[in-house]
């Protein structure tokens, strides 16, 4: 299904008066504080976040999975779903594929479909955490870190194949996330596992086209519960440095132990020019993959504060690969993703309101109270009219969730696809 421009304009008519009033009020206030509202709105409009191909269907837990009607059952339909998100929000202009869950059967057709919907192919993700049918070797005891050379070679080859697939679609980055680790003390030799991983990553890195990046993602636990080989940003950074200039650390917000100061990690990686990508989600306990901003919106804002600072002051970093990495157990996946996109834009907009000069001055004077006032003053602003304006300027809708429901998108998808389709993914 495709949402056309006439439906969008029609829908916007009912909200445009309110929007204009709210926007003018906020814009006047911000302008009187010396803010450049036009530039904030255009930064928001330019901020595009990739949708992971595995998050368009219902997720599940190890206790079960409750399907969601009208799920996309092939890659074409997944791209159509991203198209729906993009036409409503105008901030989801990319898709990130997980291989082998989503190998295109007809590359030209997929590229055409994506082009027509203004969707680009972001980083491609390799999967060496599941065994594939007919695979010669098993990943039960690890992939790139495995004690067996044959297993490592199979995993290296898979990553090289993923690069080839991504290359045909126009992707420019490979994301490597490893489940490798151990469940019990003594099961693995930490040094051997780390060294094997480094050597394997170097072999993959050698196959990276010149204009590509390798993004090394870390995670402290799960599915292994005693140790993970790439457990934290330090391990990721060491491995990236061991590969070379085109290798970077990828931060997934859910991949930290409770109370980690993620904004500080982000900041230091940017200082070192080694922050390459970002997976957005939210969590209460572990890798919960919940809707962005649903649990800790202030932490998200603080992370964006560092990102905004880094984007302005650390040109040593590449353009970051932004992606939502979430899973949906009880919500309509598309509604959940719309909420996540909105939360990202909101945190970004609030961070853009921070008066960086005043903050620096207050820091130099050790005026702790003023520092906090500056941050919280920005955080407490209701920036939603700015988001609406950015969407309207780009041809999107004023209120994406309301529009999704008013246009009856899920109902149409069920009519087209039936009830019992199942999307590939987790
Ligand atoms: C992992 C990690 C990866 C994602 C897989 C599906 O926990 O977040 O980024 O590819 O899940
Ligand atoms: Mn992730
Ligand atoms: Mn994860």
């Amino acid at each position: 299904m495709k949402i056309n421009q006439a439906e969008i304009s029609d829908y916007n008519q009912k909200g445009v008066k309110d929007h204009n009033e709210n926007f003018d009020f906020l814009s006047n206030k911000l302008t009187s504080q010396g803010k450049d509202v036009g530039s904030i709105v255009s930064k928001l409009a330019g901020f595009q976040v990739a949708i992971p191909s595995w998050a368009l269907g219902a997720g599940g837990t190890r206790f079960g999975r409750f399907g969601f009607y009208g799920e996309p059952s092939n890659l074409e339909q997944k791209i159509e779903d991203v198209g729906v998100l993009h036409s409503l929000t105008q901030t989801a202009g990319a898709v990130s594929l997980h291989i082998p869950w989503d190998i295109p059967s007809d590359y030209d057709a997929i590229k055409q479909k994506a082009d027509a919907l203004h969707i680009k192919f972001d980083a491609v993700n390799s999967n060496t955490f599941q065994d594939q049918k007919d695979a010669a070797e098993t990943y039960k005891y690890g992939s790139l870190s495995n004690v067996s050379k044959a297993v490592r070679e199979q995993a290296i080859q898979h990553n090289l194949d993923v690069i080839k697939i991504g290359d045909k679609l126009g992707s420019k980055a490979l994301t490597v996330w490893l489940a490798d680790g151990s469940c019990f003390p003594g099961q693995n030799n930490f040094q051997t596992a780390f060294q094997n991983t480094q050597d394997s990553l170097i072999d993959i890195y050698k196959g990276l086209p010149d204009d590509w990046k390798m993004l090394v993602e870390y995670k402290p636990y799960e599915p292994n519960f005693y140790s993970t080989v790439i457990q934290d940003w330090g391990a990721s950074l060491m491995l990236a440095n061991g590969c070379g200039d085109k290798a970077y650390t990828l931060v997934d917000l859910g991949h930290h132990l409770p109370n980690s100061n993620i904004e500080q990690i982000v900041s230091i990686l940017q200082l070192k020019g080694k922050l390459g990508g970002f997976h957005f989600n939210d969590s209460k306990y572990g890798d919960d993959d919940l809707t962005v901003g649903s649990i800790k919106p202030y932490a998200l804002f603080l992370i964006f504060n560092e990102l905004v600072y880094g984007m302005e002051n650390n040109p040593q970093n590449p353009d970051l690969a932004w992606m939502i990495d979430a899973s949906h157990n009880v919500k309509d996946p598309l509604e959940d993703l719309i909420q996540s996109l909105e939360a990202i834009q909101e945190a970004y907009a609030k961070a853009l309101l921070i008066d960086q000069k005043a903050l620096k001055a207050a820091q130099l004077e050790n005026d702790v109270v003023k520092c906090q006032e500056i941050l919280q003053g920005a955080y407490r602003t209701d920036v939603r009219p700015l988001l609406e304006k950015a969407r309207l300027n780009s041809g999107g809708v004023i209120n994406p969730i309301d529009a999704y429901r008013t246009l009856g998108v899920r109902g149409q998808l069920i009519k087209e696809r039936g009830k019992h389709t199942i999307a590939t993914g987790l």
Side-chain angles (χ1 to χ4, degrees), residues 192-247:
T192 308
F194 196 79
Q195 193 56 54
N196 282 345
T197 302
Q198 179 75 81
D199 294 346
S200 302
L201 285 173
I202 288 173
D203 282 350
I204 298 166
Y205 186 85
K206 283 183 195 148
L208 215 57
D210 284 346
D211 56 347
W212 271 56
K213 290 176 285 197
M214 181 199 268
L215 307 175
V216 183
E217 184 174 358
Y218 59 90
K219 173 165 166 170
Y221 74 95
E222 197 207 14
N224 276 293
F225 292 106
Y226 170 62
S227 74
T228 296
V229 179
I230 313 181
Q231 59 161 332
D232 61 11
W233 67 273
S236 161
L237 181 63
M238 275 192 274
L239 292 167
N241 281 337
C243 285
D245 292 347
K246 294 181 290 177

Side-chain angles (χ1 to χ4, degrees), residues 15 40 57 66 78 108 149 160 165 184 228 317 324 355 364:
I40 295 176
F66 301 96
K78 287 183 173 188
D108 287 338
K149 187 158 189 271
L160 295 171
I165 291 170
F184 298 97
T228 296
N317 292 280
I324 292 173
D355 186 336
L364 289 174

Side-chain angles (χ1 to χ4, degrees), residues 1 56-57 65 67-74 77 80-81 332 409-423:
M1 84 160 280
L56 294 158
R65 176 185 185 276
F68 206 94
Y69 297 153
E71 287 185 25
S73 55
N74 54 42
Q77 292 180 352
E80 280 174 18
D81 280 7
D332 174 336
V409 176
R410 182 54 62 183
Q412 286 189 55
L413 291 174
I414 295 173
K415 224 188 263 165
E416 277 174 25
R417 300 171 183 171
K419 277 190 169 180
H420 299 294
T421 47
I422 292 189

